[in-house]
Amino acid sequence: MNSKTGTLYIVATPIGNLADFGIRAAEILSEVNLILAEDTRHAAKLLKHYGITTRTRAFHDHNEQTYSAEIIRLLLNGEDLALISDAGTPLISDPGYRLVRMAREQGIDVSPIPGPSALTAAISASGVATDRFCFEGFLPSKRNQRIETLTKLSQEQRTIVFYESSHRIKDALEDLEAIYGEGREICVAREITKKFESFYFGSPATVREQIAVNSNNLKGEFVIVVSGNNDADKAWANACTLVNRLKLELPIKQACRIAADTFSVSKNELYNCVLAERRSE
Ligand code: SAM
């Protein structure tokens, strides 16, 4: 912390279990001049638990726009500041984007202190493919907009992750079932790292039924992980299986045409694939 201008630290905090807080995160929060907290009373619990006595000031959606310029002045004057949100990683469906952007534009160092996020915690334990995923934040609260969003995402091949609140989890699961049907796997992660941590896994209908068993299952905080639309992969795999069988009886072009028509895949791609396989045999 010796540069002329200060550093803005983006510090992740626990998403439930206070013990999920790193040594460096505690050190940085103790050393900075000021902690910008989404809710200072909420932050006080964590700070007290770790014996951190640094001053806090509220920084949230409602004052981010007006307060950011003042924060930038403090940083330019050489003060080190830390941004924390109520839980998890700041800026992930939490305030701070404008501030970080302004700091970058002013050449101020912005340094993350990584740690928990409901996003990574949920997907890592979901059992749904993790190689490629997209994060959609919260689904719209109005049903027609939610349906529109889910419909637009219906061709997405990557795993999709949503945050959801207890008020809307039931409706969101009903809409997921109606729009994505049986062909998808979903995982609903509830109250991660807390006393009632639960994971529900299966088709949208199965998960909705598992949760409906007990109304307590609708309480708390939720992350929904949805498998991507892999119909294209399945159609291609089916076409390859069929063409391999048909080519034993029919000319390759005809076999490719039938298999491509049956599973709505490209006849030319299938033909090229069969020729390539033949060359490598
Ligand atoms: N920045 C936070 C993060 O990195 O996870 C997320 C903040 S966002 C305002 C709050 C939402 O995150 C909740 O409504 C819920 O969807 C999800 N969430 C936060 N903590 C959670 C937990 N312990 N278990 C499940 N979901 C959680």
Side-chain angles (χ1 to χ4, degrees), residues 44-265:
K45 284 184 217 147
L46 175 77
L47 301 179
K48 187 164 176 240
H49 188 84
Y50 284 96
I52 298 166
T53 54
T54 310
R55 273 185 314 132
T56 56
R57 272 183 75 173
F59 180 83
H60 40 64
D61 278 332
H62 306 295
N63 71 357
E64 177 169 4
Q65 194 147 10
T66 48
Y67 188 25
S68 289
E70 187 185 332
I71 296 168
I72 294 293
R73 272 198 297 280
L74 296 177
L75 289 159
L76 289 172
N77 280 339
E79 296 205 21
D80 292 313
L81 307 186
L83 175 68
I84 61 173
S85 59
D86 282 351
T89 302
L91 282 85
I92 307 300
S93 288
D94 268 336
Y97 166 69
R98 282 196 203 96
L99 176 63
V100 170
R101 172 109 200 143
M102 280 172 84
R104 287 256 165 253
E105 284 167 356
Q106 294 291 328
I108 292 165
D109 288 341
V110 182
S111 181
I113 311 295
S117 175
L119 164 66
T120 45
I123 196 167
S124 67
S126 68
V128 183
T130 54
D131 51 342
R132 295 188 312 140
F133 66 87
C134 60
F135 174 54
E136 283 287 318
F138 286 93
L139 277 164
S141 54
K142 296 210 171 88
R143 178 155 254 163
N144 55 351
Q145 288 170 7
R146 191 165 56 239
I147 288 174
E148 195 183 323
T149 300
L150 289 173
T151 307
K152 275 191 192 148
L153 286 167
S154 63
Q155 297 306 311
E156 176 58 65
Q157 292 182 11
R158 295 169 296 177
T159 293
I160 313 167
V161 187
F162 302 103
Y163 281 164
E164 196 48 276
S165 76
S166 55
H167 312 295
R168 287 189 285 273
I169 185 71
K170 188 169 168 287
D171 291 348
L173 289 174
E174 282 172 11
D175 293 343
L176 271 168
E177 183 180 345
I179 296 162
Y180 294 166
E182 284 297 300
R184 303 287 184 103
E185 280 173 340
I186 69 168
C187 179
V188 171
R190 169 178 169 247
E191 294 285 272
I192 306 167
T193 75
K194 300 187 205 174
K195 186 172 174 194
F196 295 108
E197 176 181 283
S198 337
F199 281 79
Y200 309 92
F201 177 81
S203 70
T206 319
V207 168
R208 193 183 47 70
E209 282 159 19
Q210 287 168 29
I211 291 178
V213 165
N214 184 336
S215 60
N216 283 332
N217 295 347
L218 292 168
K219 294 181 184 160
E221 299 189 280
F222 297 85
V223 181
I224 307 176
V225 182
V226 183
S227 66
N229 182 342
N230 294 315
D231 288 353
D233 292 349
K234 282 187 206 142
W236 180 256
N238 286 335
C240 290
T241 308
L242 181 60
V243 85
N244 282 334
R245 175 70 191 83
L246 291 178
K247 76 183 184 192
L248 303 175
E249 320 280 342
L250 300 170
I252 289 181
K253 272 198 170 160
Q254 194 182 352
C256 287
R257 185 168 45 74
I258 296 170
D261 284 352
T262 308
F263 292 106
S264 304
V265 301

